[in-house]
């Protein structure tokens, strides 16, 4: 017995969504034996983009039943059933969240018509519900409403067994215990994760890291991976037994840490071609003209030769060149009628500010918690590492900072990421270790 399911939600952050409409068709493989369709008062506002998509607004739900009022009916109609849906993991997760709020553990086996269609009807241009059913001549009405979005997968589910020569649908039905165990395992993993910025590590049954990721919401991102129908993510779902994490406080440190851990562990499910150096194509460099003035130019990156900073595109480099010419009042036509010594002094300020050349600085940003700051230590223009410090810490004492950091590679890629971050985030504090007063990168 199957329960063909579709849910519409309020939208919003992970684990904060509420159900606005539900449609369930109980199906014995041949005919519909029962059905339940209802609007639901989610007791929270609907996101504007959801209202535009579904047509469901807050006023429509004012007198609709709340979830706890129809929870028993959902349990009854899905009793002994396998949950079926298009991207079933999403609808199932939402349903589990609602039941968990009531203190009830709702565990079912699921079948996803996206996955089944990819297996049984390969080479389709798209497996989105609308495009897929149209390509198969399956009728569809009330798009983005629960009843229509559940009826279309029902017709699709009737069609798929004809293509199922290996009886994979029946085989999946037999694997109830395995799927139930996996779903329960995933729920326990998600419950232990924070909704904060950081790097996370997915471990298999032997404890080996098979995926490294970074996100501003660790729990939300892991949930996406554990419910995605993609081939890689289905592998992750089967082999995820533990997720560990490190909160990072700011995105730059998280990005640098993610790249380092991928390079060190070479996880099976990460993209093997993580070398993003191919995206660093241009450099800002300088030279003395015949009159002794320092001049800038944007050039192709031929090798890791001497440069001030790096860019991914020529357009990005030229935009930055115009920016520093305005900021530092540079004029390579008449050099402001200044002597080379005075003009070049301003040019060298750019080396220090945007390339950190020969600079000993601490780049200070948000920490992981209130009262804490993150810090990246740069010595002689080279990245040394990162750390987290209390606000009242003596940030200008280089010898102390060097003992507190976790090392980071001073690679071309890491320097590119650091320089790009400073260019885009003008309010980040850059503390000169040789001075007591901080200056702002602006």
């Amino acid at each position: 017995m199957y329960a063909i399911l579709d849910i519409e939600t309020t939208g919003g952050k992970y684990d904060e969504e509420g159900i606005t409409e539900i449609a369930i068709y109980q199906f014995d493989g041949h005919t519909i034996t029962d059905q339940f369709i209802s609007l639901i008062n989610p007791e929270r506002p609907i996101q504007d983009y959801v209202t535009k998509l579904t047509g469901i607004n807050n006023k429509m739900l004012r007198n609709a039943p709340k979830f706890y009022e129809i929870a028993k009916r959902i349990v009854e109609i899905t009793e002994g059933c396998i949950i079926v849906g298009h991207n079933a993991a999403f609808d199932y997760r939402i349903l589990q969240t609602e039941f968990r709020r009531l203190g009830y553990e709702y565990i079912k086996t699921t079948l996803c018509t996206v996955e089944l269609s990819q297996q049984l009807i390969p080479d389709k241009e798209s497996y989105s519900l609308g495009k897929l059913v149209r390509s198969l001549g399956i009728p569809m009405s009330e798009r983005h409403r629960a009843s229509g979005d559940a009826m279309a997968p029902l017709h699709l589910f009737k069609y798929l067994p004809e293509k199922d020569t290996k009886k994979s649908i029946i085989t999946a039905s037999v694997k109830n215990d395995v799927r139930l165990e996996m779903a329960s395992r995933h729920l326990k993993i998600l419950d232990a994760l924070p909704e904060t910025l950081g790097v996370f590590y997915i471990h298999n049954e032997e404890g080996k890291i098979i995926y490294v990721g970074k996100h501003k919401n660790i729990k939300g991102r892991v949930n996406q991976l554990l419910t995605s129908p993609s081939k890689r993510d289905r592998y992750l779902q089967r082999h995820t037994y533990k997720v560990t994490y490190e909160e990072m406080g700011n995105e730059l440190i998280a990005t640098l840490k993610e790249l380092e851990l991928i390079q060190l562990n070479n996880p099976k499910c990460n993209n093997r071609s993580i070398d993003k150096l191919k995206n660093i194509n241009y450099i800002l460099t300088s030279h003395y003209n015949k009159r002794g003035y320092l001049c800038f130019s944007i050039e192709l990156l031929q090798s890791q030769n001497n440069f001030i900073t790096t860019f991914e595109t020529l357009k990005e480099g030229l935009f930055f060149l115009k920016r520093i010419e305005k900021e530092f009042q540079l004029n390579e036509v008449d050099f402001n009628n200044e002597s080379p010594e005075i003009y070049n002094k301003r040019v060298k300020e750019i080396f220090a500010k945007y390339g950190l050349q020969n600079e000993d600085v601490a780049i200070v940003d948000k920490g992981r918690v209130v009262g804490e700051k993150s810090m990246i230590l740069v010595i002689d223009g080279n990245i040394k590492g990162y750390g987290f410090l209390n606000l009242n810490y003596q940030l200008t004492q280089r010898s102390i900072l060097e003992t507190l950091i976790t090392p980071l590679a001073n690679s071309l890629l890491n320097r590119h990421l650091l320089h790009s971050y400073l260019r885009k985030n003008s309010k980040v504090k850059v503390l000169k270790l040789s001075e007591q007063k901080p200056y702002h990168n602006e």
Side-chain angles (χ1 to χ4, degrees), residues 274-286:
I274 61 168
D275 185 2
K276 296 183 180 179
L277 292 179
K278 61 184 179 182
N279 295 328
I280 305 172
N281 299 308
Y282 295 91
I283 58 173
L284 177 68
T285 187
S286 64

Side-chain angles (χ1 to χ4, degrees), residues 3-239:
I4 317 297
L5 169 73
D6 187 77
I7 286 171
E8 302 299 333
T9 73
T10 58
K13 294 181 180 179
Y14 168 83
D15 220 23
E16 294 182 7
E17 313 104 316
I19 298 177
T20 59
E21 187 177 34
I22 189 168
I24 303 172
Y25 296 100
Q26 193 183 79
F27 182 63
D28 64 4
H30 303 283
T31 59
I32 296 173
T33 55
D34 196 0
Q35 70 180 49
F36 176 67
I37 302 169
S38 178
L39 292 170
I40 299 174
N41 183 343
E43 301 182 83
R44 65 201 69 207
I46 304 173
Q47 300 287 311
D48 290 340
Y49 75 90
V50 175
T51 295
K52 291 177 182 177
L53 183 68
T54 65
I56 300 173
N57 58 48
N58 294 304
K59 186 177 180 180
M60 290 170 58
L61 305 180
R62 195 172 297 159
N63 298 317
K66 297 178 175 65
F67 184 80
Y68 73 86
E69 296 176 283
I70 51 93
K72 183 180 178 182
R73 175 67 173 127
I74 294 173
V75 171
E76 290 172 347
I77 196 171
T78 60
E79 183 67 31
C81 293
I82 295 171
I83 299 293
V84 179
H86 210 67
N87 195 7
F90 172 80
D91 295 303
Y92 179 49
R93 193 266 297 174
I94 295 292
L95 203 53
Q96 284 185 307
T97 298
E98 290 284 8
F99 275 112
R100 198 158 60 247
R101 289 169 182 159
L102 299 178
Y104 180 80
E105 190 172 15
Y106 185 81
I107 302 294
K108 295 288 180 184
T109 300
T110 63
L111 277 175
C112 179
T113 51
V114 176
E115 295 179 22
L116 291 172
S117 299
Q118 289 171 335
Q119 295 169 16
L120 301 173
I121 323 171
D123 303 322
K124 282 290 179 184
E125 181 181 345
S126 172
Y127 291 91
S128 68
L129 183 58
K131 291 182 179 179
L132 180 61
V133 297
R134 278 197 298 272
S135 72
L136 297 172
I138 294 172
M140 186 171 190
S141 61
E142 295 188 283
R143 187 72 175 102
H144 299 303
R145 290 297 298 267
S147 57
D149 284 0
M151 185 57 74
L154 190 150
H155 289 303
L156 180 61
F157 195 60
K158 286 181 180 179
Y159 171 82
L160 290 173
E162 301 172 11
K163 302 291 183 180
D164 188 20
T165 55
K166 294 183 179 179
K167 300 304 174 189
S168 58
I169 296 176
I170 295 175
T171 301
S173 302
V174 174
K175 293 181 178 179
N176 285 3
D177 291 341
V178 176
R179 299 290 290 265
L180 288 171
E181 186 276 330
M182 187 171 72
S184 179
R185 187 172 76 238
H186 291 173
L187 277 176
K188 290 177 182 177
I189 288 170
L190 288 169
D191 284 342
L193 297 178
E195 297 183 46
T196 53
L197 170 66
V199 178
F200 60 90
Y201 318 100
I202 295 181
H203 305 259
N204 64 12
E205 194 169 11
E206 291 76 39
K208 185 176 179 180
I209 295 174
I210 57 174
Y211 183 83
V212 175
K214 169 211 65 145
H215 204 268
K216 62 183 178 182
N217 182 335
I218 294 172
K219 177 182 278 191
R221 177 57 181 150
V222 173
N223 176 66
Q224 287 177 343
L225 293 170
L226 295 181
T227 56
S228 165
S230 75
K231 183 177 180 180
R232 192 237 12 217
D233 293 345
R234 290 202 306 271
Y235 176 91
L236 270 177
Q237 290 154 23
R238 292 193 301 272
H239 295 279

Side-chain angles (χ1 to χ4, degrees), residues 242-393:
K242 186 175 183 180
V243 179
T244 57
Y245 62 90
E246 293 179 77
E247 295 178 271
M248 288 298 169
N250 77 76
E251 190 150 355
L252 175 60
I253 292 179
T255 299
L256 296 174
K257 192 68 177 179
E258 177 194 30
L259 290 171
E260 178 187 51
L261 269 294
I262 292 174
Q263 290 169 330
L264 288 175
N265 292 276
N266 194 24
K268 181 180 178 67
C269 294
N270 281 97
N271 187 345
R272 297 301 179 93
S273 58
I274 61 168
D275 185 2
K276 296 183 180 179
L277 292 179
K278 61 184 179 182
N279 295 328
I280 305 172
N281 299 308
Y282 295 91
I283 58 173
L284 177 68
T285 187
S286 64
H287 62 276
Y288 287 96
N289 70 5
K290 293 179 180 179
R291 296 169 57 191
Y293 288 95
L294 268 171
C295 301
F296 290 115
S297 62
I298 305 294
E299 299 178 5
L300 279 169
L301 174 65
Q302 303 293 343
S303 62
Q304 294 193 35
N305 52 354
N306 187 38
F307 58 83
I308 301 162
T309 190
T310 50
F311 309 98
E312 295 179 20
T313 66
L314 178 59
K315 182 179 180 181
E316 181 186 2
L318 293 174
F319 178 83
F320 179 72
L321 196 56
K322 289 182 180 179
R323 173 180 162 184
I324 59 174
E325 285 173 350
K326 182 178 180 181
E327 180 181 356
F328 290 87
Q329 297 180 1
L330 304 180
N331 186 337
E332 294 188 1
V333 177
D334 60 13
F335 301 98
N336 303 331
N337 296 315
E338 296 173 336
S339 68
E341 292 75 20
I342 295 174
Y343 186 88
N344 292 349
K345 183 179 180 181
R346 287 209 313 279
V347 171
K348 289 178 181 179
E349 289 177 18
I350 298 169
F351 295 5
K353 183 173 181 179
Y354 292 110
L356 300 177
Q357 287 190 356
N358 305 315
E359 291 292 294
D360 295 348
V361 297
I363 298 163
V364 182
D365 206 344
K366 293 182 296 184
R368 299 163 294 187
V369 294
V370 176
E372 180 183 72
K373 290 290 184 181
S374 63
M375 179 268 298
I376 294 178
L377 184 64
V378 176
I379 301 297
D380 196 25
N382 298 316
I383 298 173
K384 290 298 181 181
Y386 74 94
F388 297 95
L389 306 167
N390 189 279
L391 281 175
N392 60 11
Y393 212 90

